[in-house]
């Protein structure tokens, strides 16, 4: 008879996100995983395979959760331009509240691993495409409502927003603790829209 697992895979993946996000893939040892996840090595490897497989599952979980938050905020907004501005303001606030200066797990992964690992690069690129699509849909809705200018194509604006959203996360990782820098970025984003 197969032994039942005494843990939730989702809870373990959330803990894996935490440790990988904080230490990076290369900075996280097998012992770090055992200690942080509270699992034996055998349970860890029997369930998730190797460290890389666990990392990919954690990254995909992070991607799905983050994307759902963004989609919900934009798809339910009556004032799309305001909702986009609030998303960027929230990202700026989070960067100041992040005492560990973690930045964004996906952006960090892009910088650390995507250039050397085609599977990771594919996940990072898929994330970019999905986020751009969410922004694109929101911008098109905003343009149809007259809330967002049509002077720039919706696709170009979606790419602009994705790049700036990632950029704010990079700035927070590099410990730029100047709220005026972030306020200027958010203002220009709002002005462009």
């Amino acid at each position: 008879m197969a032994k039942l697992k005494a843990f939730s895979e989702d809870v373990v993946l959330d803990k894996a996100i935490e440790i990988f996000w904080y230490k990076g893939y290369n900075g996280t040892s097998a012992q770090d995983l055992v200690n942080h996840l509270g699992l034996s090595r055998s349970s860890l490897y029997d369930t998730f395979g190797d460290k890389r497989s666990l990392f990919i599952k954690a990254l995909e979980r992070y991607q799905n959760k983050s994307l759902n938050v963004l989609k919900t905020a934009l798809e339910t907004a009556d004032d799309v331009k305001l909702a986009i501005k609030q998303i960027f303001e929230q990202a700026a606030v989070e960067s100041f509240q992040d005492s560990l200066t973690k930045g964004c797990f996906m952006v960090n992964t892009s910088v650390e691993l995507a250039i050397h690992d085609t599977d990771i690069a594919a996940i990072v690129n898929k994330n970019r495409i999905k986020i751009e699509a969410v922004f694109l849909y929101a911008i098109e809705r905003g343009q149809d409502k007259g809330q967002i200018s049509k002077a720039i194509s919706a696709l170009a604006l979606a790419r602009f927003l994705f790049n700036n959203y990632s950029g704010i996360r990079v700035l927070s990782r590099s410990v730029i603790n100047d709220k005026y820098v972030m306020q200027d970025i958010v203002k220009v984003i709002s002005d462009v829209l």
Side-chain angles (χ1 to χ4, degrees), residues 20-182:
F20 284 130
W21 191 351
Y22 176 63
K23 296 186 106 178
Y25 177 79
N26 291 317
T28 303
S29 69
Q31 191 58 49
D32 289 333
L33 291 170
V34 168
N35 293 344
H36 191 75
L37 303 180
L39 298 177
S40 67
R41 284 181 196 254
S42 61
S43 291
L44 182 63
Y45 292 118
D46 287 347
T47 303
F48 298 102
D50 59 9
K51 174 182 160 182
R52 184 173 180 278
S53 297
L54 172 62
F55 181 85
I56 288 173
K57 287 178 184 175
L59 187 63
E60 288 172 338
R61 179 165 172 80
Y62 173 85
Q63 176 189 38
N64 290 330
K65 288 172 75 173
S66 299
L67 186 65
N68 287 336
V69 169
L70 186 64
K71 280 175 75 171
T72 299
L74 290 174
E75 288 178 357
T76 61
D78 289 326
D79 186 333
V80 178
K81 183 174 180 176
L82 178 61
I84 291 170
K85 183 179 179 191
Q86 290 171 337
I87 286 167
F88 279 89
E89 287 172 341
Q90 181 61 34
V93 166
E94 288 171 5
S95 72
F96 289 113
Q97 294 173 344
D98 183 6
S99 61
L100 300 175
T101 62
K102 295 185 319 259
C104 170
F105 184 34
M106 188 65 68
V107 171
N108 298 350
T109 299
S110 174
V111 172
E112 180 186 11
L113 299 174
I115 195 167
H116 306 292
D117 186 317
T118 57
D119 294 332
I120 299 293
I123 294 167
V124 168
N125 191 49
K126 183 170 100 175
N127 182 68
R128 178 191 57 81
I129 291 167
K130 286 182 174 186
I131 291 176
E132 280 180 4
V134 170
F135 279 134
L136 177 62
Y137 176 73
I139 290 164
E140 289 172 340
R141 278 186 49 236
Q143 287 177 333
D144 289 344
K145 291 180 168 198
Q147 298 167 345
I148 295 176
S149 170
K150 292 184 178 182
I152 302 172
S153 79
L155 181 58
L157 284 173
R159 290 174 173 161
F160 170 78
L161 291 178
F162 172 79
N163 186 64
N164 280 283
Y165 194 70
S166 299
I168 284 176
R169 300 306 190 174
V170 170
L171 283 176
S172 69
R173 180 77 177 172
S174 63
V175 198
I176 293 189
N177 201 9
D178 184 341
K179 70 179 181 179
Y180 298 109
V181 170
M182 295 294 188

